[in-house]
Amino acid sequence: MDDNRPRRSAIVSGGSSGIGLAIAARLRERGDRVAVADIMPPPAELGCDFTPTDVRRQTDVDAFFSACQPLLPTLSTLVCCAGRGVHERLDQGDPRGWSEIFELNVMGALRLIRAFVPQLVERRGDVVIIGSVAAQRQHPWSGVYNASKAALESLAETLRLEMQPEVRVAVISPGVVDTGFFAAMLGAGSDVDSIGYGALEAGDVADAALYALDRPPHAAMNHLTLRPRAQPL
């Protein structure tokens, strides 16, 4: 093992774009080695380790875990950010698509938790889960997405109780963020302009994640909600 390896390393799912990319960039800026699990590579200039990974597939997660073996001795952070939105009425949408949403948003995070959380115990590491205000605020056409984020929030709290005090768990719940999220949404979605509340930048959410990670070792920031100032929900 290289004696010059970074003191900390991190895993970021969905780290090639949007919020995940912003978090990966912040972690690199503070000197962490970062491995990205995504279906597309992050920008080469970021200097992240990358293994093509679809977290909906256990075989991909297994291969990613194997590729991350050099990082495990210094692993201190797991960020679960991979996710997709859905904008369909419950009486009209395609259940096959809904199943894919849960496989990505919920089961993808669970697969990574199962693989990497045991590695965090000795280093008293952190798990950061990117949730959404939608977990607590239901609205029409987003029931499946809301349910996936509510499930993720419940699992995060369970993980916190199961792993404390060795592993801290933080949920970052943003409101509207100006990323490619809306363009990639399953079903006919909206966009930042049509929503009309303004929007956060991906870097705003990344800053919130790093705030949780940088709390003193004796303190845990377990849930942080971040919205545009004009967003009521």
Side-chain angles (χ1 to χ4, degrees):
M1 184 66 66
D2 183 358
D3 290 336
N4 295 318
R5 67 191 179 212
R7 182 172 60 88
R8 294 177 299 202
S9 56
I11 305 296
V12 182
S13 72
S16 296
S17 62
I19 293 170
L21 175 58
I23 293 174
R26 293 289 194 276
L27 292 169
R28 290 291 294 138
E29 287 168 5
R30 77 173 191 175
D32 290 18
R33 182 174 177 181
V34 177
V36 167
D38 207 322
I39 58 175
M40 298 294 291
E45 61 269 21
L46 202 59
C48 293
D49 294 49
F50 173 68
T51 302
T53 306
D54 184 342
V55 296
R56 296 173 298 179
R57 299 172 181 167
Q58 185 62 50
T59 53
D60 277 25
V61 174
D62 291 342
F64 179 66
F65 181 78
S66 295
C68 289
Q69 290 301 305
L71 283 73
L72 297 185
T74 55
L75 184 65
S76 62
T77 306
L78 168 65
V79 179
C80 297
C81 188
R84 188 180 183 190
V86 55
H87 191 78
E88 292 180 337
R89 274 177 45 162
L90 297 179
D91 64 337
Q92 296 177 352
D94 184 351
R96 292 171 297 183
W98 299 345
S99 178
E100 289 296 303
I101 294 295
F102 271 84
E103 281 292 332
L104 177 59
N105 294 7
V106 181
M107 291 303 300
L110 282 172
R111 291 184 181 99
L112 293 170
I113 286 167
R114 180 176 178 271
F116 289 102
V117 164
Q119 319 301 318
L120 295 172
V121 171
E122 184 176 349
R123 291 184 57 82
R124 297 179 71 87
D126 290 273
V127 177
V128 175
I129 292 176
I130 303 304
S132 171
V133 296
Q136 302 294 332
R137 299 280 187 165
Q138 287 69 42
H139 51 283
W141 294 76
S142 295
V144 173
Y145 177 72
N146 295 358
S148 74
K149 289 298 185 177
L152 199 55
E153 192 169 295
S154 177
L155 291 168
E157 176 63 7
T158 303
L159 181 66
R160 182 186 73 83
L161 295 171
E162 290 177 349
M163 301 308 300
Q164 67 182 173
E166 286 82 7
V167 178
R168 300 187 300 188
V169 180
V171 177
I172 309 299
S173 295
V176 179
V177 186
D178 190 6
T179 65
F181 173 84
F182 296 102
M185 188 177 290
L186 180 66
S190 52
D191 56 33
V192 168
D193 292 335
S194 66
I195 292 172
Y197 303 148
L200 303 170
E201 300 294 331
D204 298 327
V205 185
D207 288 342
L210 267 291
Y211 179 79
L213 290 173
D214 289 340
R215 292 310 83 212
H218 68 275
M221 173 68 70
N222 299 126
H223 199 149
L224 197 157
T225 299
L226 191 68
R227 296 182 178 89
R229 290 181 65 161
Q231 183 172 346
L233 303 175

